[in-house]
Amino acid sequence: MTRIKEAVLTEWIGQILTGSGLDQEQAQMISEHLVLANLRGVDSHGISKIDVYCKRLEKGIVNKKLNFHITKETPVSALIDGENSMGISLATKGIKLAVQKAKEVGVGIVGISHSNHAGMLAAYTDYAAQHDCISIAVTNAPSVMAPWGGRTPFFGTNPISYSIPTGGEMNIVFDMATTTVAKGKIVLAEKENKSIPVGWAISKDGRETTDPKEALEGLLLPVGGPKGYGLSFLVETLSSLFTGAAYGPYIGSLFDDFEHEQNVGQFFFVMRADLFQELDVFKARVDQMAQEIKGIERMQGVDRIYLPGEIEFERTRELRQNGIPVSAQMLETLQAISDQLGIKTEQFSPVG
Ligand SMILES: NC(=O)c1ccc[n+]([C@@H]2O[C@H](COP(=O)([O-])OP(=O)(O)OC[C@H]3O[C@@H](n4cnc5c(N)ncnc54)[C@H](O)[C@@H]3O)[C@@H](O)[C@H]2O)c1
């Protein structure tokens, strides 16, 4: 692993995105998002997505322009038609609008249809927390998981994230796929020739597997069995049935379908954290509860209790200081895309 500083990697990814036809604003939003995912240790949704994004831009399956319009609006809500623009750009605009509405009227609800892959949801909920809001974000995704008891893919990895502002430096930012893991983690394991743990997936003939290739041809398992399936049902409903986006099997694949738009949906629910009690009273109560949780007696073999999102927060702090680990394989991919786009790479040197 080579380490590259955040600013250097963001600049490199940004240049690749402008080289692929995006304007400066979008290149900045997307490069910052992808690098933030790596900083948080969510490598599956970080710069590893750059090759598929570039391929989709090159093939013209995604709108290079950030065209979108609001189709229905009330003081508390807005429905955005994303016009097949880049998902991260749309979702970044969407959460900003939801926060703005929450600031004005207390609650902001934003749905997006005709969107694309929107990356790591924590980026959006963290933004809301930084603006003293409690938030929930969901997105649907192409089908890779059967409804509990079935063997045919129907729902996607359908992640859900929430954030809660605290009085400290770290906000609570929880973010999980409703499958045992995000599909990107299996794609990454395959790219890096690693096996995957039992419990993540089954092969297409219904066997448990540790081979990422078999898993990608087969099915992911819902987290917590029927409970993950139940949560995924909610995520799907809010992201698609509610917004008008495609659902489950009708969503275009990010990795395998280079002919049709994805028509993914996103949904954000944001409320001001001072809706019921004064902000400092609420935050002090969150801090109190967090402190009590961290102080409880631990299970055998556990040396520390983490708050939701704390592992990612600490990782971000460490990587901001020491640089972001980038695998040799990932470096090769970045170099190959840069060569293809005529981008000079000498300036993007590793740390040390
Ligand atoms: N855009 C998409 O289509 C899409 C689809 C699926 C997933 N994703 C993204 O993939 C990412 C990874 O999802 P995942 O399910 O693999 O995440 P994960 O399993 O790594 O983490 C899930 C959550 O558990 C918390 N956690 C982990 N260990 C903990 C501990 N010991 N104590 C307390 N909390 C702990 C983490 O802070 C995190 O909030 C997410 O960012 C998600 O938004 C995106």
Side-chain angles (χ1 to χ4, degrees):
M1 285 276 183
T2 303
R3 284 192 180 236
I4 304 182
K5 283 289 205 183
E6 177 188 6
V8 174
L9 197 53
T10 308
E11 174 64 26
W12 193 355
I13 300 296
Q15 285 199 22
I16 288 177
L17 290 167
T18 47
S20 302
L22 297 187
D23 62 25
Q24 200 61 46
E25 185 197 10
Q26 286 202 80
Q28 189 172 338
M29 285 192 281
I30 298 170
S31 58
E32 282 175 1
H33 181 110
L34 297 180
V35 172
L36 179 65
N38 282 90
L39 281 170
R40 288 178 64 87
V42 186
D43 292 358
S44 54
H45 287 70
I47 60 169
S48 63
K49 283 285 184 285
I50 196 70
D51 50 349
V52 76
Y53 285 181
C54 287
K55 193 166 171 193
R56 297 186 79 80
L57 285 165
E58 188 198 328
K59 300 223 174 246
I61 304 149
V62 182
N63 189 349
K64 288 182 181 152
K65 296 233 156 54
L66 179 48
N67 290 339
F68 64 93
H69 62 278
I70 293 178
T71 52
K72 196 167 181 185
E73 190 165 22
T74 71
V76 291
S77 64
L79 177 62
I80 294 173
D81 181 329
E83 299 185 28
N84 193 30
S85 305
M86 292 293 282
I88 291 176
S89 311
L90 289 169
T92 305
K93 293 280 182 189
I95 190 68
K96 286 187 174 170
L97 180 57
V99 168
Q100 185 192 318
K101 282 182 177 290
K103 288 283 171 192
E104 284 164 12
V105 292
V107 173
I109 303 169
V110 169
I112 310 174
S113 68
H114 294 113
S115 185
N116 282 287
H117 187 264
M120 171 189 72
L121 292 182
Y124 311 114
T125 50
D126 193 22
Y127 173 85
Q130 283 168 25
H131 290 79
D132 290 333
C133 290
I134 297 171
S135 71
I136 297 171
V138 296
T139 181
N140 62 359
S143 59
V144 288
M145 174 187 107
W148 188 241
R151 239 180 73 178
T152 307
F154 194 95
F155 288 124
T157 47
N158 289 11
I160 181 163
S161 174
Y162 69 77
S163 68
I164 300 166
T166 69
E169 204 191 332
M170 185 200 104
N171 293 311
I172 302 293
V173 180
F174 180 78
D175 188 12
M176 62 166 250
T178 48
T179 45
T180 314
V181 290
K183 190 180 175 189
K185 283 197 180 160
I186 299 180
V187 173
L188 197 65
E190 193 202 19
K191 273 188 192 166
E192 295 180 348
N193 289 320
K194 290 181 183 159
S195 60
I196 57 166
V198 174
W200 283 16
I202 50 173
S203 62
K204 63 179 173 209
D205 54 354
R207 266 181 306 106
E208 281 198 313
T209 182
T210 57
D211 176 355
K213 222 181 212 101
E214 271 194 350
L216 291 171
E217 286 162 6
L219 295 176
L220 300 195
L221 292 169
V223 64
K227 299 172 187 181
Y229 156 53
L231 262 182
S232 188
F233 195 110
L234 172 72
V235 169
E236 189 62 64
T237 304
L238 295 174
S239 308
S240 63
L241 306 184
F242 197 38
T243 65
Y247 66 89
Y250 305 103
I251 299 169
S253 164
L254 175 68
F255 295 102
D256 304 321
D257 182 351
F258 293 94
E259 280 173 22
H260 306 101
E261 70 169 291
Q262 281 204 286
N263 196 4
V264 165
Q266 282 94 29
F267 172 85
F268 302 120
F269 185 95
V270 178
M271 55 191 163
R272 251 180 22 214
D274 65 353
L275 264 188
F276 290 169
Q277 302 179 84
E278 292 299 324
L279 187 62
D280 54 351
V281 172
F282 171 70
K283 284 184 171 180
R285 298 198 75 200
V286 175
D287 293 346
Q288 172 69 27
M289 186 172 85
Q291 203 183 339
E292 285 174 24
I293 287 171
K294 289 186 75 69
I296 66 161
E297 276 189 51
R298 297 183 296 272
M299 265 171 67
Q300 274 185 17
V302 172
D303 27 274
R304 190 173 157 190
I305 307 274
Y306 288 94
L307 297 170
E310 192 174 9
I311 292 172
E312 289 81 1
F313 176 80
E314 290 192 351
R315 186 141 178 91
T316 303
R317 199 156 48 184
E318 192 260 307
L319 298 194
R320 281 214 158 113
Q321 202 174 349
N322 301 323
I324 297 165
V326 181
S327 69
Q329 205 155 5
M330 191 65 238
L331 269 183
E332 262 175 45
T333 303
L334 292 181
Q335 188 62 54
I337 300 173
S338 302
D339 291 345
Q340 203 184 334
L341 296 171
I343 296 167
K344 292 202 173 68
T345 59
E346 300 82 56
Q347 52 180 315
F348 307 125
S349 60
V351 179

